[in-house]
Amino acid sequence: MTAVGIDAIEIRTGKLQLDLPNTFAPKKGEDPEKYTKGLGLETSSFPDVYEDIVTMGANAAKSLLDRKGLAPDEIGRIDVATESAFDHSKPVSTYIAGCLEQVYDGDFRHANKGERKFACVSGTQAIDDAYNWIRAGRNRGRAALVIATDTALYERGDPGEATQGAGAVAMLVTEDPSIVELSTEQGYGSMDETDFLKPNQQFPSVDGKRSMQVYLSRMREALEDYESIVGPVEPDTVAYAPFHTPFPGMVRKAGLFAYRHITRNTSIEDDLAESIGRQPREDDYESREAYEEAISEYMDALKGTDRYQEWYAETIEPTLGLSRVVGNWYTGSVHLARASALRDAAERGLDDAFVGERLLVGSYGSGAQAEIHSETVRPGWREEIEALDIDEQLASRYDLSFEEYTQVHEVHDYDKSVDVEEFTVPDGEFVFTGWGRMNERTYDYVE
Ligand code: HMG
């Protein structure tokens, strides 16, 4: 069977940044270490006044098409995953295609376009749709363009404000891909939850602490479901585990739970038993409370072991690199985690030896659903990852003062109409220009 998977990636960050420990924390009267050590965040990305989900998505997509030398008629499908859409009918993919058609000869007239919604997990679902479309033989040799784009803003003063971010990840899904091959095995954990939602409102209603519990529960169920198909996941068979990263501290917790799960009944549990005992089994306890207390003690001890710390440092920590400096990109977040992992592999000088290695990818969306699958690294991965210009983009972000941040938040609040000067100068990119006669958003390409 021909491999199908991700052939190319481009990342586009919002062009502004907010320094969380040095600019945000002092204004909130909080210890900067709550951000750097607790949540694990340094800076968050924001869109300039002329950027939005369409410009970021279109700019990422243009970089991708240019780099791969693709013409519009070589794309048979454009799916946008977002939870920041401003239109309940016309999908963001049509706005993005319209932008791209301003600069290319030809058009996307015969491409199937759509929009995927399920909070942050929809980026992965859009990749699944592309995979299925190719596997079903409906692509006529053409590639699918999947774009995950979001402006993740919370109400001012909401605890989630610390975890904001904005950016887009464009991915090309093809046969014989250069970066990773996808597989047919997937595990799901899905329940009707009210932890984070936006019922006809731009900013989410969030039960932050509960959302963390729901994330962990659905991820555990997805992992169990995945293992029911492929058998137990063994720690040493996974090179990296990129998870959805609302903030790195969340993944730090998830990583510990995952390690406890995948080492149960293994020789690793036996080895660790000499220093921290065996994992508590519920049947050995008289009450649920006693069992949970024992689990909590075991987890604290596990976290301190060299064995766990080495696994975490190799498998999880490298996936958090981009998230730490851009915040939560919702639908794009897990795809940033994958890119961070691959960037780490390239920095470590891995090349052919990395081909065939496995990534265990954990996606999550509030509401709530987790999905786990594995991906296999393909020859060509390194060239694709080294082509990313995200370091240059990050280095050139405009650093906002707190007052400027409050203005930018208002500019992107759909209920407000404020006039704020742009902070950066558009340069070879799509920009938001205003509203058309039917209240549609309008865009131009600035040379
Ligand atoms: P909070 O209540 O302000 O923060 O908001 P906190 O007091 O819980 O502190 C955060 C961490 O920093 C804690 O670590 C503190 O101990 C630590 P923990 O105990 O949990 O390991 N801390 C410090 N560490 C060192 N030095 C200090 C210090 N002070 C505190 N001085 C919360 C945190 C996550 C609730 C908030 O940011 C929030 O509501 N975020 C939005 C919801 C969210 O991100 N949930 C994550 C799971 S749901 C999800 O991932 C889906 C999502 O992406 C949406 C979608 O799917 O569409 C959100």
Side-chain angles (χ1 to χ4, degrees):
M1 201 159 58
T2 313
V4 175
I6 302 175
D7 185 58
I9 300 175
E10 284 290 341
I11 302 172
R12 179 79 179 195
T13 178
K15 293 170 81 175
L16 310 177
Q17 70 168 36
L18 178 66
D19 185 321
L20 292 164
N22 298 308
T23 305
F24 190 67
K27 287 285 179 187
K28 303 281 284 183
E30 286 176 326
D31 184 348
E33 293 203 338
K34 170 178 169 181
Y35 295 88
T36 51
K37 296 206 169 138
L39 296 169
L41 291 164
E42 298 288 341
T43 47
S44 31
S45 283
F46 288 90
D48 204 336
V49 299
Y50 56 84
E51 293 184 289
D52 66 10
I53 50 169
V54 171
T55 67
M56 294 186 296
N59 287 317
K62 179 170 184 303
S63 300
L64 192 147
L65 296 180
D66 286 349
R67 190 164 62 72
K68 300 298 279 188
L70 288 168
D73 64 2
E74 291 173 277
I75 302 296
R77 188 178 175 100
I78 306 179
D79 273 322
V80 170
T82 185
E83 52 177 291
S84 321
F86 47 80
D87 194 316
H88 289 304
S89 174
K90 184 175 151 61
V92 171
S93 50
T94 60
Y95 286 91
I96 290 181
C99 285
L100 296 170
E101 285 169 356
Q102 292 182 30
V103 296
Y104 291 111
D105 293 334
D107 57 44
F108 298 94
R109 189 178 302 263
H110 301 299
N112 184 4
K113 306 183 189 91
E115 190 170 305
R116 253 293 188 174
K117 179 176 74 177
F118 195 149
C120 304
V121 77
S122 63
T124 297
Q125 291 179 318
I127 289 181
D128 285 352
D129 293 342
Y131 176 88
N132 294 339
W133 172 72
I134 294 173
R135 275 265 167 268
R138 293 174 144 181
N139 62 319
R140 298 186 242 149
R142 297 172 300 170
L145 183 57
V146 172
I147 303 164
T149 181
D150 270 300
T151 296
L153 290 182
Y154 289 76
E155 197 88 60
R156 291 290 320 285
D158 187 289
E161 197 182 359
T163 65
Q164 298 174 123
V169 182
M171 292 163 280
L172 198 69
V173 180
T174 64
E175 283 168 286
D176 198 16
S178 294
I179 302 181
V180 285
E181 176 180 357
L182 299 164
S183 68
T184 50
E185 290 102 8
Q186 296 173 292
Y188 290 99
S190 188
M191 293 278 284
D192 176 11
E193 298 278 6
T194 44
D195 54 331
F196 170 112
L197 53 155
K198 303 178 187 173
N200 280 330
Q201 62 197 49
Q202 183 188 2
F203 302 129
S205 299
V206 197
D207 184 342
K209 299 286 181 211
R210 197 176 131 58
S211 74
M212 295 169 70
Q213 290 310 317
V214 176
Y215 175 114
L216 294 173
S217 300
R218 301 292 85 80
M219 280 287 198
R220 176 177 46 74
E221 291 162 2
L223 184 56
E224 287 167 353
D225 193 37
Y226 176 69
E227 287 184 316
S228 75
I229 318 165
V230 300
V233 171
E234 291 163 31
D236 298 340
T237 63
V238 174
Y240 294 101
F243 290 170
H244 168 58
T245 313
F247 54 94
M250 182 73 243
V251 176
R252 197 170 57 222
K253 287 185 204 300
L256 185 61
F257 276 87
Y259 192 74
R260 188 191 83 197
H261 178 92
I262 61 181
T263 55
R264 193 176 305 139
N265 298 323
T266 67
S267 59
I268 299 177
E269 183 187 11
D270 296 341
D271 294 347
L272 288 169
E274 287 168 25
S275 54
I276 62 169
R278 292 180 65 74
Q279 296 191 19
R281 267 61 174 182
E282 190 162 5
D283 289 351
D284 297 339
Y285 292 82
E286 282 182 0
S287 68
R288 180 82 196 170
E289 291 71 37
Y291 168 65
E292 280 174 5
E293 198 176 315
I295 286 282
S296 171
E297 278 169 24
Y298 181 84
M299 300 281 274
D300 281 346
L302 179 63
K303 191 166 43 180
T305 60
D306 291 345
R307 189 90 183 238
Y308 172 70
Q309 288 185 5
E310 276 164 28
W311 178 81
Y312 181 85
E314 281 174 14
T315 316
I316 305 280
E317 178 62 31
T319 68
L320 305 175
L322 289 169
S323 165
R324 272 188 206 295
V325 290
V326 301
N328 192 355
W329 284 10
Y330 286 161
T331 54
S333 163
V334 68
H335 309 292
L336 283 182
R338 179 198 294 105
S340 298
L342 297 171
R343 274 157 54 90
D344 179 75
E347 277 158 24
R348 284 169 48 207
L350 298 180
D351 206 335
D352 290 347
F354 193 49
V355 174
E357 291 285 334
R358 188 154 75 122
L359 311 182
L360 188 71
V361 181
S363 304
Y364 176 76
S366 285
Q369 180 160 302
E371 187 265 3
I372 298 230
H373 67 263
S374 78
E375 299 175 358
T376 310
V377 177
R378 298 268 303 167
W381 71 275
R382 187 168 170 157
E383 199 183 325
E384 289 296 325
I385 288 307
E386 287 184 339
L388 290 175
D389 68 348
I390 185 63
D391 289 326
E392 292 78 13
Q393 289 185 52
L394 291 172
S396 63
R397 282 182 300 179
Y398 176 89
D399 193 30
L400 295 164
S401 68
F402 189 80
E403 288 66 31
E404 289 168 337
Y405 155 65
T406 62
Q407 292 172 354
V408 168
H409 197 283
E410 290 195 345
V411 165
H412 295 290
D413 183 335
Y414 298 154
D415 291 334
K416 294 195 175 144
S417 174
V418 291
D419 206 10
V420 176
E421 281 287 302
E422 53 204 38
F423 296 89
T424 60
V425 181
D427 180 17
E429 63 195 285
F430 296 104
V431 297
F432 165 68
T433 52
W435 283 267
R437 75 183 169 94
M438 290 175 74
N439 207 24
E440 76 276 20
R441 290 171 79 89
T442 57
Y443 300 92
D444 267 344
Y445 186 76
V446 174
E447 293 291 342

